[in-house]
Amino acid sequence: EEPIHPTTRPTIITRTKMGEGDEIMADDSALPLVLAAASGVATLLLASGLAFALTRRSKGGTAHTKQTEVAEAVVEELDMEKYPGGHLTIYYGSQTGTAESFAQQIAREGEDNGFMVHVVDLEDTEDEDGGPRQAILDGGKRDEHGRSRAVFLMATYGEGEPTDNAAQFVNLIKSKSGIKSNYNFEAELAEMDAANAADYGEEKKGEAGDDDDDGANGGDVDASYFNGLVYSVFALGNRQYEHFCAMGKLTDVALGRCGAERLTEAGTGDDDSDLEGDFENWKDNVMWPSLKRRFVAEGAMDKKVAAAPTNGVGNDLPECQYVVEYVTDMSPGDAKADIVKSDEIHASTRHYFTAMDCPVKVSRELRTDKDPGSTVHMEIDISKAGDDLRYQTADNLGVLPVNDDDVVEAVAG
């Protein structure tokens, strides 16, 4: 599932637990780590010393942007002929990039379906004045009826926990919805609703308790907190874990209890089976049709298709998000990588900037020739990494391999 990105060094990724939906990276210790690795298909990461630069080309409504940048961009008048469905924001909770890559896929399809799509890391909503609520209910993206539209792609991390970038958002919606548990909330909410109904009955009889009692879940509960939001949720998980898709299910229920309007039933993707197929099916057969029925006026897409230019053969190619610029005034040895600020790094590639080199001390095959497949015993020495890398029981390692330089040169040339 992990998108392929360039790297220049062999690395071992730091800190993580095994999760659902997103593949999980690694962690730490001052002792050599023993790792049993079942054989499979390894992801190869291409690194090139050629003197050319890949420059990201912006496309209205499809680039991954900080929330503050999105807010500035949508001040301009929206072209309703190009985007008859209006604005649509995709928020993702992702640990290593699977949910983020799904969000970018929706963004690439946005214009063809009539929507101006914005992709936002849930962590970035915390930086907005007024917090996530202000960011999600951004007035610049509301339609003429005052509604904001959003899709939440939520991966589950570890045993039913939120991803790092979604933790504060999940805590917020739990607080405002009255939910306390990450995964036992159905029974919890049934008890709360029963208690509220009983309290209402007592009030009707004139036997209500103290006015200061805000109910079993405290004064933070707000059933109108996300009024004006129309939303859909897709949950990423793995049925091998007890709390399958817990964060997506929690988000779907909590937003509804906070006043938001559910557009579709939540979709679920199973990484133990076909996560990508589950997402494609939900996106193409549930999400886009529901959004267009609700927000795109009848006939608007027909006009859009009729006005669209073609490549002369009636089969348009998708627009590439990158351009290649050949640099001719320097040799490959003189090329230097740009300095990238930590807050400009996408969540799916952040570990390439924080990983550490650790040598493999021992590698031996555990199966005999008569046993199909391969299981390798490996010992990885992280003792020289110091305090930056510490192993804790049950931590996992993610390995970033590097291709041979000659192979890279041949492919890139």
Side-chain angles (χ1 to χ4, degrees):
E1 299 165 22
E2 194 67 52
I4 297 176
H5 301 278
T7 185
T8 57
R9 311 165 56 217
T11 50
I12 291 179
I13 303 171
T14 62
R15 177 138 314 268
T16 187
K17 309 171 189 174
M18 190 59 117
E20 298 181 5
D22 280 315
E23 299 132 14
I24 301 306
M25 299 304 164
D27 214 280
D28 7 73
S29 149
L31 299 172
L33 176 67
V34 178
L35 174 69
S39 67
V41 179
T43 300
L44 298 180
L45 302 157
L46 297 178
S48 175
L50 292 180
F52 68 83
L54 289 177
T55 306
R56 187 153 193 169
R57 182 173 64 201
S58 64
K59 177 184 178 184
T62 62
H64 172 96
T65 52
K66 293 290 185 183
Q67 180 67 16
T68 52
E69 296 170 348
V70 170
E72 294 173 359
V74 298
V75 172
E76 301 178 6
E77 189 72 22
L78 189 66
D79 184 349
M80 295 308 294
E81 290 188 2
K82 190 174 183 180
Y83 305 109
H87 294 284
L88 174 66
T89 305
I90 315 300
Y91 298 96
Y92 63 87
S94 182
Q95 195 66 29
T96 61
T98 306
E100 180 184 6
S101 68
F102 287 175
Q104 295 292 350
Q105 189 173 340
I106 293 175
R108 288 192 293 271
E109 300 175 6
E111 184 177 334
D112 289 340
N113 286 279
F115 289 86
M116 175 76 163
V117 177
H118 313 269
V119 174
V120 179
D121 186 328
L122 276 171
E123 189 174 42
D124 293 339
T125 65
E126 300 160 15
D127 299 331
E128 191 78 3
D129 292 337
R133 180 175 183 269
Q134 179 65 32
I136 292 171
L137 298 179
D138 181 3
K141 300 194 196 77
R142 296 178 188 171
D143 62 18
E144 65 273 17
H145 303 292
R147 301 170 301 195
S148 298
R149 302 83 168 272
V151 173
F152 293 83
L153 306 179
M154 305 295 292
T156 298
Y157 183 40
E159 293 293 344
E161 299 173 8
T163 58
D164 290 344
N165 74 316
Q168 289 195 34
F169 170 76
V170 169
N171 288 336
L172 172 67
I173 61 176
K174 285 171 65 179
S175 172
K176 297 304 177 182
S177 64
I179 294 174
K180 297 179 179 178
S181 170
N182 284 351
Y183 33 80
N184 293 324
F185 52 84
E186 288 92 348
E188 181 184 318
L189 292 176
E191 292 179 5
M192 183 173 67
D193 290 341
N196 290 339
D199 289 343
Y200 178 75
E202 291 299 309
E203 290 176 6
K204 294 291 287 183
K205 295 177 182 178
E207 299 174 2
D210 294 338
D211 290 339
D212 292 336
D213 184 5
D214 290 315
N217 294 279
D220 285 341
V221 177
D222 188 347
S224 62
Y225 193 74
F226 279 115
N227 276 2
L229 175 67
V230 180
Y231 73 97
S232 292
V233 175
F234 183 81
L236 294 80
N238 188 316
R239 292 191 185 277
Q240 292 294 324
Y241 289 80
E242 180 180 1
H243 306 297
F244 174 61
C245 286
M247 283 303 101
K249 294 174 181 177
L250 171 64
T251 300
D252 182 54
V253 171
L255 287 174
R257 295 186 69 90
C258 291
E261 178 187 352
R262 183 183 293 108
L263 177 65
T264 70
E265 291 298 317
T268 57
D270 183 10
D271 192 36
D272 191 46
S273 178
D274 184 5
L275 179 61
E276 288 81 3
D278 293 338
F279 172 69
E280 290 284 344
N281 181 64
W282 179 81
K283 172 176 63 69
D284 295 339
N285 299 315
V286 177
M287 186 200 76
W288 282 130
S290 298
L291 284 166
K292 288 190 284 189
R293 280 195 302 268
R294 180 70 181 276
F295 298 113
V296 178
E298 186 176 356
M301 292 303 296
D302 296 336
K303 296 178 181 178
K304 178 179 172 64
V305 171
T310 66
N311 59 13
V313 295
N315 184 21
D316 291 336
L317 296 174
E319 182 171 347
C320 180
Q321 299 300 301
Y322 299 90
V323 293
V324 176
E325 177 186 349
Y326 287 91
V327 180
T328 58
D329 57 352
M330 69 174 67
S331 65
D334 295 331
K336 295 182 179 180
D338 292 336
I339 297 175
V340 181
K341 297 180 180 178
S342 60
D343 60 352
E344 296 176 346
I345 304 171
H346 289 191
S348 61
T349 57
R350 198 162 290 157
H351 45 264
Y352 290 96
F353 296 82
T354 59
M356 305 188 69
D357 293 337
C358 297
V360 176
K361 291 292 189 180
V362 177
S363 177
R364 66 174 179 268
E365 177 61 53
L366 297 180
R367 301 192 189 190
T368 66
D369 295 339
K370 298 179 180 179
D371 189 2
S374 174
T375 300
V376 178
H377 169 95
M378 298 181 70
E379 295 181 12
I380 301 174
D381 185 4
I382 62 174
S383 60
K384 296 181 180 180
D387 293 337
D388 293 332
L389 195 62
R390 295 191 176 189
Y391 174 74
Q392 298 175 2
T393 302
D395 282 341
N396 298 274
L397 288 178
V399 179
L400 305 182
V402 174
N403 291 292
D404 181 87
D405 287 345
D406 291 338
V407 174
V408 174
E409 291 284 351
V411 172

